[in-house]
Amino acid sequence: MLGWILAVCGLALLGAFGYMLLEGWSFLDSLYMAVTTMTTVGFREVHELDLPGRIWTMLMALSAIGVIFGTVGVVAENVMADVASGRRKAKRMKRKIDQLTGHFVVCGYGRVGAMVARELVEDGNLVVVIDVKEDSLERAENDGYLVIHGDGATEEVLRAAGVERAKGLVSAIDSDAQNVYVTLTARSLNPGLFIVGRAGAENVISKLIQAGADRAVSPYTMAGRRIVNLALRPGVIEFIDAALTPGGMAFTMEEVEALADGPLAGHTIGQLRQRGILTLAMLHAPGDYEPNPPDERMVTAGEHLIVSGASDLLDSLARRSFAGSRSWRPEVKPA
């Protein structure tokens, strides 16, 4: 479009200079004559034209037809080709993804990936879906997600999804090997990315952790454990689910970090309780908890707390406490 505008303006100026040289007219009269000739509006001549002026006018008219009307046809043809091939939609999708930051990337839009994406969005996050299957991407797009077609194990595709600006990545592909490759590639592109990998088999969990995943889960193992817990202690499981579901209850549970300049560090557990923040445990490492800390326990900068309280209070506290990931990372050590 910019090139077309420059070509039209250049032709108008060239025509004006031609009239000034051949006819001796003023610049304004010459430009007016050039523009009326180019646009074929059919107004009268500014001044009487001699033979050189008439020849110049004919050249101007023919040139204008080629530049203006010919270009319009070419542009229209390209636009129709873009629409028909889907390139226009892909460009629009790319522009939206390029503007994202602090979002989640979900690799694989099967049953597990679709559920992960839905839960992330319900929790207030933006999601970009990567998949190699056209039907899966069509379902994801119909569900309202930004999508990227390609293999999530390749740097080009992950960069297109904005993984370097993302908050987290969930690899939920049906193939364990692909999930390992995705984890390796994503970790190399963004060392600060929080990565959760899906493991089809229990022994793949350790491989995903070695590849760089912060957490690895087996849906089948988790499903079995959940079924057992529901059979043995249904009230507890349903209570926790309700507390962790956005809008499910007036209170919730969160993981928060005590930043040096934040509202938690330097206060005791008892003081936090008086402010409506009930500390359930201190988290020192994945799976390493200090449950029910006493009221006199002082919170120091860098420590992670599992807390319960009013939904609005904890949501605000959690979002202020974590600029990137909201989960304990191995490099984070208690002060």
Side-chain angles (χ1 to χ4, degrees):
M1 182 61 68
L2 180 61
W4 178 78
I5 292 174
L6 292 175
V8 172
C9 292
L11 182 60
L13 290 175
L14 179 64
F17 290 137
Y19 286 117
M20 292 171 64
L21 180 65
L22 296 174
E23 300 292 336
W25 296 350
S26 68
F27 174 74
L28 187 58
D29 285 348
S30 299
L31 183 62
Y32 176 80
M33 185 66 188
V35 172
T36 56
T37 301
M38 291 171 58
T39 55
T40 66
V41 295
F43 292 160
R44 65 179 180 82
E45 298 169 354
V46 178
H47 303 289
E48 188 68 27
L49 289 169
D50 55 17
L51 181 60
R54 292 174 181 175
I55 295 175
W56 185 250
T57 300
M58 288 187 291
L59 292 175
M60 281 289 301
L62 293 174
S63 300
I65 291 174
V67 171
I68 298 178
F69 300 106
T71 306
V72 168
V74 172
V75 170
E77 182 180 355
N78 287 335
V79 169
M80 293 300 296
D82 278 352
V83 172
S85 64
R87 290 196 302 265
R88 192 175 186 84
K89 183 171 66 175
K91 292 176 183 176
R92 186 166 59 249
M93 189 81 68
K94 182 180 183 302
R95 284 196 298 268
K96 291 181 179 178
I97 294 175
D98 289 343
Q99 296 172 357
L100 294 181
T101 182
H103 58 288
F104 276 86
V105 178
V106 176
C107 296
Y109 198 74
R111 288 177 295 179
V112 175
M115 183 174 296
V116 169
R118 184 175 69 249
E119 292 292 333
L120 286 171
V121 170
E122 289 180 357
D123 198 41
N125 298 284
L126 296 173
V127 172
V128 176
V129 173
I130 298 176
D131 206 305
V132 294
K133 300 177 182 178
E134 291 289 352
D135 57 337
S136 297
L137 287 183
E138 185 176 353
R139 286 191 294 106
E141 193 171 357
N142 291 336
D143 291 339
Y145 303 114
L146 297 172
V147 301
I148 294 290
H149 179 268
D151 184 358
T154 61
E155 290 190 9
E156 180 183 359
V157 173
L158 287 177
R159 289 183 191 275
V163 73
E164 294 161 310
R165 306 182 306 276
K167 179 193 303 183
L169 177 143
V170 178
S171 187
I173 306 173
D174 292 337
S175 167
D176 287 338
Q178 280 296 102
N179 287 325
V180 172
Y181 293 143
V182 169
T183 301
L184 283 169
T185 308
R187 177 59 69 213
S188 67
L189 293 176
N190 187 349
L193 188 69
F194 193 84
I195 302 176
V196 179
R198 170 189 173 179
E202 192 74 22
N203 62 347
V204 179
I205 293 180
S206 60
K207 294 181 175 60
L208 285 168
I209 299 298
Q210 291 173 3
D214 296 284
R215 301 289 191 278
V217 295
S218 171
Y220 308 107
T221 302
M222 290 188 66
R225 186 179 301 126
R226 180 176 176 81
I227 291 172
V228 171
N229 285 329
L230 281 172
L232 298 178
R233 47 187 75 87
V236 175
I237 300 302
E238 291 167 354
F239 176 80
I240 294 175
D241 284 346
L244 295 179
T245 300
M249 301 184 75
F251 77 97
T252 185
M253 290 183 286
E254 272 288 0
E255 175 190 346
V256 293
E257 180 185 5
L259 301 178
D261 56 348
L264 302 179
H267 294 81
T268 65
I269 298 298
Q271 290 172 331
L272 295 181
R273 178 179 317 198
Q274 293 175 1
R275 292 162 47 191
I277 303 173
L278 178 62
T279 305
L280 303 178
M282 311 294 291
L283 176 62
H284 300 304
D288 183 9
Y289 300 98
E290 179 188 339
N292 299 320
D295 285 351
E296 62 272 14
R297 166 75 151 81
M298 182 68 69
V299 178
T300 57
E303 288 190 304
H304 286 230
L305 292 74
I306 307 298
V307 297
S308 176
S311 299
D312 294 340
L313 173 63
L314 292 193
D315 186 64
S316 173
L317 187 63
R319 295 185 186 280
R320 281 190 298 161
S321 297
F322 289 92
S325 167
R326 289 165 59 184
S327 292
W328 192 94
R329 299 184 57 79
E331 65 270 19
V332 178
K333 303 293 184 184

